[in-house]
Each structure stands twice: as structure tokens, then as C-alpha cells.
Amino acid sequence: MEKNPMRRQLAIMRQALFDQGYLDEQFIQLEELQDDANPNFVEEVVTSYYRDSARLILKIEQALERKPFDFNKLDGYMHQFKGSSSSIGAKKVKAESTLFREHCNSGNGEGCVRAFQQLKQEYATLKKKLEAYFQLARQAGPMETACRPK
Amino acid sequence: MNSSSGKGSMSTASSSAAWKTGDVVPDKFPAGLRVLVVDDDPTCLMILEKMLRTCLYEVTKCNRAETALCMLRENKNGFDIVISDVHMPDMDGFKLLEHIGLEMDLPVIMMSADDGKHVVMKGVTHGACDYLIKPVRIEALKNIWQHVVRKRRNEWKDFEQSGSVEEGDRQQKQSEDADYSSSANEGNWKSSKKRKDDEDETDERDDTSSLKKPRVVWSVELHQQFVTAVNQLGIDKAVPKKILELMNVPGLTRENVASHLQKYRLYLRRLSGVSQHQGNLNNPFISSQETTFGPLSSLNGLDLQTLAATGQLPAQSLATLQAAGLGRSTAKSGVPLPLVDQRNIFSFENPKLRFGEGQQQHMNNNKQINLLHGIPTTMEPKQLASLHHTAQSIGNINMQVTSHGAQSGQNSSLLMQMAQPQARGPTLDSTVGHAPRLPSSMGQPILSNGIAANVSTRNGIPENIRAPGYNPVSQTSSMLNFPMNHTSELPGNSFPLGSTPGISSLTSRRAFQEEVNSEIKVPSGFMPSYAIFNDLNQHKPQNWELENVGMTFDASQHSNSLQGNLDLTQSVLVQQGFSSRQVNGQSRSAAVVSKAVFSAADGTEHVIAQNVNQHLDSLLVDNTIRVKSERVADASAANLFPDHFGQEDLMSALLKQQEGIAPAENEFAFDGYSMDNIPG
């Protein structure tokens, strides 16, 4: 069976995400959990992540508006955010979270702010890429089974 | 998967069989391992659940530590292992770990994105059997069963060493002896463990085999034991474990005691705090006691059950009450519950109930007005409170009367309160002691109507009145005779108002009722009465079955504790009577009546009580009167009170009152009690 061009495209897209460091091993773990019983498991998890982490992002933002910074609180939020991000394999986002926490620990307010900006960017970028990926996967998916070179 | 109870492994049946023989051990294990995973992060939770399912475990997920604990407590044997996140908003993961270790002794695995050494160390020191760094990989989860096995083995070893020969032990030995594979081992220990668990459980828990623990019904006796234990330890020091030990009830678990203790504490707090609503007292308890008391509670809404349950109500009293109530007829109708009993209960149990404190003032202020006002339909809390106070002051004022009018809740509270006060004073003591006194004849189920009130007074009078000559209800006045301040024991049926006409007591009772209602501090003992009263009220507001009233009171009246009883009765009466809502118009008479009561009551205490009584009376009167107008003593009411009371007397009294309020006055020699209060 010839591989569906869409599927091929999907594979390439996916590989790029790994190569460019957006995703790590953990994402593969999620993919491996996907099965017939949960055919869209990965997408569900990622959707859940973006929904829940959005709240955290907001909290951090609000916390960063209050001066002086409550580093403990910020660290706490970020810890949560980091845990979530790492569970879906969001590598770059996780790295930014670690950086942010380091700044918190050293009481570097400015560093926190900068790291947070970076983090938000990575967060948004990944979101877009994953959305595109899943969209393609949905298109390619059903087709895969049905598709046969006619 | 398998839901074999406790086994957690799939092929339970076969496995056990196999295990027993030490032969083939099913390879299914660790499939079916029952895992509880706790994490506040929904994404992580989703992933973990999927991973665990992939490992063929039985997964239950939970995003809050509290919920997890509840689940674990409810289902003691429902899980084999717990996986929990360290950082959670509602409870620290380590705290949860501690709880689980103490209560359920399950292996717990901690998880965190934090891999700092100190955090991991904390996990170790808190007893976690493993620590996973997030993000968790499925490989890490595949082996968590080892912790379950390890723990079991260790337990077994201890078990074995303890010398008890258990099948499990033998099994264990066998398995150990045999050259088995690890799976065989697991199979063995699983069965052994199960057995061991069962054994462990059996001592403490009722139901070890099933996952669900049978509900414990807190019977009166059991509750009494509980209260005794608590009192022995001191409420502050009473911890479930110790209580359990003291109670020494086979099959009772620490958790049963703990939850019961919690309810009990709430109840006490309610008693001490100003009870906002009349029915409050009853409510919390009622629910918990529902099972035990069933019909009774329905009687009054009062938490008779609760009371009983809380031990306030002496078993006997409660039983009596219950019997009375039940026996009478529908509980609703006329809770024949021995009002008196209730009173007893009240009075004795919580004499020190906070009731009295505030009440005094309360009483003075509100009483009159409250009484009357309160009477209609719902005794306002204030009134109740005032009654309460009055009762307090009166000591054993048969506050119950007051509560009578106050709707169900109120009355009870009043009664209770009344009882309380009584307990306070010396009279109280006596009353207190009487708790069990509650006359079984309490049947006076709250004289549904004013009559009841009357009756109650009579009964209530016990407080001081030991006077056998309680005149109960024969006329409101008589009813009011609550021996308000005395803890006299009302002789069984003769409402020994003793001191003063029951009226005063009544009034006070009523007042108390009202007050009580508001506070419902009903001493535990009171509860029952309240319930009774409430019920009575409810049912028969109109049925001022005087007769009943009289009767009931009588019964309950005896003994000082009657005070409590009286209260009950009174409250009942009050409730009943008042609910008739006649208060409005008739308040006058009520007032009159109360007045009479007051006058009847003697003693300084009575003063207050009097006020209360007055209120009560008024209320009662009103009620009675009203009732009369509405329907003179329903038959049912009559049923309520069997004969102790001179129903006829009561009836006549009531009738009289009803016919003409004025007459009441005459009878009571009111001094111009102002019926202003009575809502017209």
C-alpha cells in the first residue's frame, strides 16, 4: 500500500517537531498510548494541556504584575506548569520553565519576566504547530484506512 | 477487571484455589492491580490513567487529595496502591501519604516534576515506597506492583512472627518452601494477604470480605456507650481510637467512631452556640441518627434520634419515647413519645449546655413577646431562645411547653433548652440523672396542641415539682404548671407541678421553647424531645389534644428529669398548640394562661420561667384556644396522650380556654399579662 501522501507529510511534520526540539520523548510515550480504543488520545491530551495551562499562564501573568514579585508563588505556578508541559513532551516550553524557576530562585525579577516572555512565545508556537499537525493527522488518518491507490 | 474483593487480581477464584494448594499461580498478576492515582493536573492524570490501563491495572483517578482520602476510607479494601503527586492545592502530597499510611496502610508512590534530592528524601522519610519523577514513563508504572508484593510480604512476616497460625501464614510458608516462581509467590501472598487482611479487618471491621463496610447503626445503646467513652476521655481528648477502645464494641471501626464523633461534636457545638434555627439541632443529628430512630424522628422533627444517638437521650428514655411515639399511632400524629422522657434526656444530658447562659437574658426580653408571637406556626427562634433562657433560669422549667408552640424545631429546642437549664441547677442534676426517666409514657407526643403544652407542663414540671399534684392540663393553668423550676420529678402522671401550677412552667416552657428553638441547644438529651415535639407540632397543630397532653406529660413528668421532660412536653404542647396558630387572636388567653403559669411557678427562677411560662402559656393558651376553635382536640391527639394526664382536665381546661379567652384569665389570675406579644 502506498503511503498516503498526507501521511507522509504528517510524518515529516512530526519529525521536524522532534528535530527542532519542540517535542521530546514524552510525546512518543503519548503516541504509544494511542490505540484503537483511544484513537485521538494524543490530541485529547494536548488539548487538555492547552486548556489547563492557559489558566496557569494567566495566573503567572497576574502575579508578575504585582510588585514586588512573590517568587515563591511564581515558582509554585511555574512548577505546576513545568510538570504539565513535560508530561506532553513540550521540550522548549519546559526548558523555558526551568529557566524561569531559576530566576525565581535567585530572585531575579527581570530574568523572570524575560523568561516568561520567551516561554509564552514557545508555548504559542508549539500550539500552532501541534494544531496544524493534528489537523493533518485527522485528515490523513481516516484516509489511511480507506485510502488505497485506486 | 477483577473486582474480586480485596484481591485485586484477576483470577481471584482460581488463583486462590491455586494459591491454596500452592500449585499453579495465575500469571495474571499484576494485572488487575487496583490503583488510585491522585494528581491535580488533569493532563497528567489523563496520561497516567491511560498508562496504567495499558498496564492492565484497574485505575481510579482523583484530582483532589481529600476526595482520594474519602474514597480510600469508604472502600478500605478497594485499592492496592496509591500514586500521588507531591504538590497539590488542597493538601500536601506528603500529608496524604501520612494519612494513607496511618489509616489504610497502603503502599504509596509519590510523583513530582521536582527531582531535587530533598524532596525525594522527604518522600522516603514520610514512608513513600517509591518516588517517580515526572514526566512519568509507562515503564516506571509497569513495575509498581512490586511495592504491593513487598509490602504484603513484610506484613506476612510480621504476622507469622507474631505466632498466629494463619492459613495465610501456612500458605506463605508453603510458598516459600516451594520452589515457586515469582508469580507463584505473588499468588500465594495474595491469598494469604487477603486472609491476613481479612483477619486484621475482622477485628476492627464488620465486613472484611466485601469491599463495602456495612453501615453502622448508632443505636441508643451504642450511642450511650459512645458518649460515655467520650465523657470519660473528655471531649477534647476524645479521639476515635481511644473511644473505640473504651467502647469495646466488636465490629465497630475507628472510622465509624470517627465519623460519629464528628457529628457529635457538631451537635455539641450547636448546642453551645446560639442555635439559629429551631430545627437546627435536630437536623444534623437527625440525619445521622435517622436510621436508628426512624419513626421517632419523624415524630418531631426533633432529633429525638439524634438526641438519643448522641446519648443524650438515655437509651431508655429514647426507647420510651420512641415506643411511645411509635406506639401511639403514627408518630406524626401524636408522638406519643414520652415527652417526659425527652425532657429527661434533655435535662440530664446537657445541663451545662450552654443553654442557659444567654438565655436568661434572652428570656427576659423576649419571652413574652416571643412566646406569643412565636407560637403561631413557627416559634421564632427568638422566642425559643427566650424560652430557653427562661428555662434556664427556671432551671427545670418545663420549657417544653414553650417549644410547644414553636414549631417543631423550636419546640424541641425549647424543651431541650428547658431541660438544660434544669440541668444546670441542682434540679438539673436531678433531672439529668433522670435521663432515663423519661417516662415511657411520654407518649404525650407533644400534645399536639396546646394541650400538649399543657400536658407537658405537667410533665415538665417534674423538675421541681415533684408534686404529684400536677395539674395538668386541666386547664391551661394546670398545664402550665410546669414545675418550672423544679426538677421535681413529676410523678409519672401526676404532673406534680408541685410548685406552681404547671402553667408557669408551661409558660416558661414555652418561652423556652421559643428560645430553645432559636438555639436549640438542646442538650443531647433533648434532642429526642424535640423531635417529638416537632413532630407533634407538625401534625397536629390543632390537636390540642388536651387529653393527650395531659397524658403525655404525666408520663414523662415523673422524675425530675422531667424537667427535661416537661420541656419536652411543653414544647410539644407549645408546638402543638401554637402551631395552631391561634396564637394570634388568642394570645390573650395564652397570655393569661401563661400568666397563670407564672404565678404558679414559684421561685425566683420561676420568674424568668414565668416569663417564659407566660409566653408559653400564652402560646399555649393560644394554641389551645385556637385549637379549640379549630378543632377541639382531635381524636388523634387524644391518642397521643394516653391517659396519664387527666386529659379530661386538660381538655376541659383547654376547652375552657378556647371558648373564652377571658376565662382563661380568670383562671389564671393573670396579672395583666400583656398579650401584646401575641401576634394578633
Side-chain angles (χ1 to χ4, degrees), chain B residues 87-352:
Chain B
H87 295 93
M88 288 189 287
D90 65 329
M91 192 195 288
D92 181 35
F94 292 118
K95 194 133 181 253
L96 176 66
L97 166 61
E98 275 174 19
H99 276 298
I100 297 175
L102 287 170
E103 293 180 36
M104 295 109 203
D105 196 29
L106 286 172
V108 182
I109 295 176
M110 301 306 294
M111 283 189 298
S112 181
D114 206 341
D115 57 353
K117 189 173 82 172
H118 69 285
V119 183
V120 180
M121 179 61 89
K122 211 172 165 190
V124 173
T125 54
H126 280 73
C129 60
D130 205 352
Y131 191 103
L132 304 176
I133 308 290
K134 283 182 171 180
V136 177
R137 294 171 65 89
I138 195 170
E139 289 78 21
L141 295 177
K142 283 214 171 100
N143 290 326
I144 60 171
W145 57 264
Q146 62 175 292
H147 304 295
V148 180
V149 178
R150 193 175 294 119
K151 202 168 180 90
R152 299 294 169 238
R153 284 175 63 98
N154 290 340
E155 280 169 5
W156 278 0
K157 291 211 171 95
D158 294 344
F159 198 56
E160 280 174 345
Q161 279 153 17
S162 73
S164 43
V165 177
E166 301 292 349
E167 208 178 332
D169 284 342
R170 272 183 264 114
Q171 277 249 339
Q172 165 98 338
K173 290 196 179 117
Q174 284 172 17
S175 53
E176 282 176 340
D177 294 345
D179 192 325
Y180 51 83
S181 62
S182 62
S183 55
N185 190 15
E186 283 140 24
N188 286 331
W189 68 252
K190 232 173 171 59
S191 54
S192 312
K193 162 194 170 348
K194 182 74 176 78
R195 240 180 312 273
K196 176 177 179 303
D197 282 349
D198 286 344
E199 271 123 18
D200 285 347
E201 302 294 349
T202 326
D203 295 341
E204 285 192 288
R205 315 186 205 254
D206 280 339
D207 174 36
T208 54
S209 51
S210 72
L211 288 175
K212 270 192 134 61
K213 269 161 43 94
R215 281 197 69 149
V216 171
V217 169
W218 281 90
S219 66
V220 174
E221 289 78 19
L222 194 61
H223 181 72
Q224 270 195 298
Q225 279 180 275
F226 170 81
V227 174
T228 309
V230 169
N231 291 335
Q232 249 179 277
L233 297 165
I235 189 68
D236 293 326
K237 293 222 170 71
V239 285
K241 185 145 184 257
K242 293 210 181 111
I243 298 172
L244 184 67
E245 283 166 12
L246 278 175
M247 282 178 75
N248 195 25
V249 172
L252 192 66
T253 72
R254 198 200 69 82
E255 279 66 35
N256 296 140
V257 174
S259 67
H260 192 71
L261 178 66
Q262 194 178 44
K263 292 173 191 146
Y264 183 65
R265 285 216 180 101
L266 279 174
Y267 162 66
L268 291 179
R269 225 175 286 144
R270 230 177 258 275
L271 288 177
S272 55
V274 174
S275 52
Q276 310 75 5
H277 1 209
Q278 302 99 21
N280 270 2
L281 268 185
N282 304 333
N283 303 337
F285 275 97
I286 295 193
S287 49
S288 47
Q289 308 307 341
E290 215 74 56
T291 44
T292 354
F293 296 99
L296 257 198
S297 50
S298 58
L299 280 183
N300 309 302
L302 253 195
D303 234 341
L304 180 47
Q305 296 165 357
T306 321
L307 276 185
T310 52
Q312 303 292 348
L313 188 47
Q316 305 106 26
S317 330
L318 183 60
T320 315
L321 285 170
Q322 289 178 338
L326 299 174
R328 280 309 160 122
S329 41
T330 51
K332 290 304 192 156
S333 51
V335 186
L337 284 183
L339 289 177
V340 176
D341 281 343
Q342 292 179 333
R343 274 193 294 210
N344 282 335
I345 300 177
F346 294 147
S347 42
F348 77 125
E349 261 314 298
N350 303 313
K352 10 285 171 127

Side-chain angles (χ1 to χ4, degrees), chain B residues 425-437:
Chain B
T427 45
L428 279 177
D429 295 334
S430 48
T431 334
V432 175
H434 294 295
R437 287 197 278 197

Side-chain angles (χ1 to χ4, degrees), chain A residues 25 29 35 38 52 79 84, chain B residues 41-42 47 50 87 137-138:
Chain A
E25 234 294 300
Q29 290 266 312
D35 55 18
N38 298 93
D52 302 321
H79 170 84
S84 248
Chain B
D41 185 332
I47 298 171
K50 187 73 176 93
H87 295 93
R137 294 171 65 89
I138 195 170

